[in-house]
Amino acid sequence: MNTQNPNETRLCSIDELEQNILSLARQINVATYELLVMVREFDERAGFLQWGLSNAAEWLAWRCDISATTAYEKVRVAHALKHLRSVSAAFAAGELSYAKVRALTRVASRENESDLLEFALRHTAANVEQYCRELRNGNPESVSTAERAIRNRSLRIRRDAERGMMAITIEVPIESGEIIEKALDKARDDDVLQVADVVDTSWQTRQADAVVAMAREYLAGMGSDASSDTHLVTIHVDQSALSGGEGRSGLPIESVKRLCCDNPVVVLTENDKGEPLTIGRKSRIIPTAIARAVNAQYGGGCGFPGCSNHRFIHLHHIEHWSSGGETSVENLMPLCTRHHQLVHEGGFRIDKDYQDNWMFLRPDGIAVPECGHVTRGASDLIEYSSAEESALNPENFAGEQPSPVYLH
């Protein structure tokens, strides 16, 4: 017995659904052609004048609620089709999509229309777009496109103080953009985060890090301290905030401390009225001999467990110099850009265990393992409370000792 409710709509098969979509897409192509024919007639009869507008594209954008750029393109395509009989016929029959027609009308003429139509019917819209763009570039008149691209190159910077972010938007000619993309790829691959289990880093995040790395490497290669004055960073911060108390700061205070570790930064300390108290010297005061000794101790790479990065290395003051930490081999550790940020702004900490060896602690207090995956359960990992941190000794642990990372 068939118990199906006759009022229920039958779920069509995937094949039927596919055919319905294709049929509707074809109808959309036909309707789009008819729309463009009417737009062309509307423009030729100057129907836009009754609305006090200067052209049909303005009317189309206004009355049909589309962007100005899209409206101008539709008017252009509508007029171009008037001279392309074969392309118009295929479009009217639904055989060509608007995307293909838009590309074809930029390069098609009565002489090459048949060849272009044959190509368009056998290839995807993306291939047709690329093919037509290459035809335009092969035309001597394409120099105007190149000149326009060069003329319109731009870079805009917008600061969002509330979010602590800066947006940088750049537009350059394609060939210049390709160079930038290749440089980004190299910088990103050179700075690959090796400890994926510790921090989840997306592709977009790594791209952003690569931009910063490129800028940092360029500035680092400018030469002497005299030339580095041209890119000196000045930070306004209250003395009380820098020393661990309350106060104002131009950046989050941990970011200030990170920048002050070994970057060319001048700290302008102010009182509570914003009046300058002192202008310190550059905070990059690590003597070359000490820097070499620290890098030699860690093999020239990042000191974070599992990180094999040997580029974009910073010397981190474990106890920051603003809190009285010394600039000495014992108080310095090389960290790559990413892990330097984790220690300052990411909640990671560097501490010593009962054997006086350095180890890294995650924000939740768990020690970062030296390498590989930990075979013990999560409950066996070292987890420190604020009280335990002040009393680390062998008696705190019963049975088999867990193995935090030791950095000798």
Side-chain angles (χ1 to χ4, degrees):
M1 173 182 284
N2 186 1
T3 59
Q4 184 177 3
N5 188 336
N7 294 325
E8 291 182 356
T9 303
R10 183 181 67 86
L11 187 65
C12 66
S13 68
I14 292 297
D15 290 338
E16 290 176 316
L17 184 60
E18 180 183 26
Q19 290 303 315
N20 290 340
I21 293 173
L22 294 176
S23 176
L24 185 57
R26 191 182 188 94
Q27 294 176 44
I28 291 174
N29 293 339
V30 174
T32 303
Y33 171 77
E34 296 173 353
L35 171 67
L36 294 182
V37 171
M38 288 187 286
V39 167
R40 182 173 68 227
E41 181 180 355
F42 186 84
D43 190 20
E44 291 174 341
R45 296 173 61 180
F48 53 86
L49 292 177
Q50 66 177 335
W51 298 100
L53 300 175
S54 58
N55 56 64
E58 290 184 0
W59 176 89
L60 191 62
W62 170 47
R63 294 289 280 171
C64 296
D65 200 21
I66 60 178
S67 70
T69 300
T70 301
Y72 275 99
E73 269 294 278
K74 287 187 180 296
V75 173
R76 181 194 66 78
V77 173
H79 285 285
L81 286 173
K82 190 174 184 179
H83 307 285
L84 301 172
R85 179 178 299 180
S86 299
V87 173
S88 295
F91 194 15
E95 298 174 355
L96 291 178
S97 66
Y98 173 72
K100 288 184 176 181
V101 172
R102 181 181 58 197
L104 292 173
T105 53
R106 295 192 181 110
V107 294
S109 63
R110 292 177 180 175
E111 290 73 22
N112 64 6
E113 179 184 4
S114 297
D115 292 338
L116 287 174
L117 177 58
E118 182 182 355
F119 181 89
L121 291 173
R122 292 187 290 106
H123 293 82
T124 65
N127 288 337
V128 173
E129 179 69 39
Q130 179 180 353
Y131 184 70
C132 292
R133 182 170 59 250
E134 291 171 351
L135 286 178
R136 293 201 312 274
N137 290 339
N139 192 312
E141 296 179 357
S142 64
V143 67
S144 61
T145 301
E147 291 175 347
R148 183 171 61 253
I150 294 174
R151 184 171 60 250
N152 291 337
R153 67 190 188 279
S154 65
L155 185 146
R156 294 181 293 277
I157 297 177
R158 181 177 61 84
R159 291 173 173 81
D160 188 344
E162 291 297 324
R163 296 173 56 236
M165 301 291 285
M166 176 184 290
I168 302 175
T169 305
I170 181 172
E171 288 189 333
V172 294
I174 290 179
E175 65 276 8
S176 299
E178 295 287 354
I179 294 174
I180 295 174
E181 184 178 23
K182 294 297 182 184
L184 279 173
D185 290 342
K186 186 178 187 306
R188 186 189 66 241
D189 294 341
D190 287 346
D191 199 26
V192 170
L193 185 62
Q194 299 294 330
V195 274
D197 291 339
V198 177
V199 179
D200 182 19
T201 306
S202 66
W203 183 86
Q204 293 90 341
T205 301
R206 289 176 57 199
Q207 287 288 91
D209 292 343
V211 174
V212 177
M214 287 166 53
R216 190 184 300 278
E217 186 166 278
Y218 172 78
L219 294 177
M222 292 184 66
S224 65
D225 288 340
S227 64
S228 67
D229 284 339
T230 61
H231 62 274
L232 188 67
V233 177
T234 301
I235 300 174
H236 294 253
V237 59
D238 286 350
Q239 179 65 46
S240 58
L242 191 62
S243 59
E246 295 183 355
R248 300 172 304 142
S249 177
L251 295 173
I253 196 63
E254 281 302 322
S255 297
V256 174
K257 291 181 178 180
R258 173 174 56 82
L259 291 171
C260 289
C261 271
D262 66 348
N263 282 296
V265 175
V266 164
V267 177
L268 176 61
T269 57
E270 302 172 340
N271 61 18
D272 57 358
K273 297 181 180 179
E275 299 169 341
L277 293 176
T278 60
I279 300 179
R281 58 181 175 174
K282 290 181 186 179
S283 61
R284 188 171 60 180
I285 54 177
I286 301 174
T288 303
I290 292 180
R292 288 175 179 171
V294 174
N295 286 323
Q297 181 179 356
Y298 289 88
C302 176
F304 195 92
C307 182
S308 59
N309 201 337
H310 284 69
R311 301 187 64 191
F312 316 117
I313 301 298
H314 312 265
L315 291 183
H316 169 68
H317 285 77
I318 299 173
E319 182 181 2
H320 201 267
W321 56 263
S322 64
S323 301
E326 297 181 351
T327 301
S328 62
V329 175
E330 294 76 17
N331 193 46
L332 292 172
M333 180 181 294
L335 294 174
C336 67
T337 300
R338 177 58 179 162
H339 292 122
H340 199 193
Q341 291 172 337
L342 287 182
V343 170
H344 278 284
E345 292 106 327
F348 282 68
R349 292 177 292 126
I350 303 175
D351 207 340
K352 283 193 173 183
D353 65 2
Y354 62 90
Q355 294 180 333
D356 204 35
N357 293 309
W358 291 121
M359 61 181 176
F360 285 83
L361 301 175
R362 299 192 323 190
D364 57 6
I366 295 178
V368 179
E370 186 172 3
C371 61
H373 294 281
V374 179
T375 57
R376 300 181 181 88
S379 61
D380 296 323
L381 291 173
I382 300 178
E383 182 169 357
Y384 301 104
S385 66
S386 57
E388 290 171 332
E389 291 175 6
S390 61
L392 289 176
N393 60 69
E395 298 177 358
N396 289 93
F397 309 100
E400 182 182 358
Q401 297 292 317
S403 302
V405 58
Y406 297 139
L407 299 176
H408 300 286

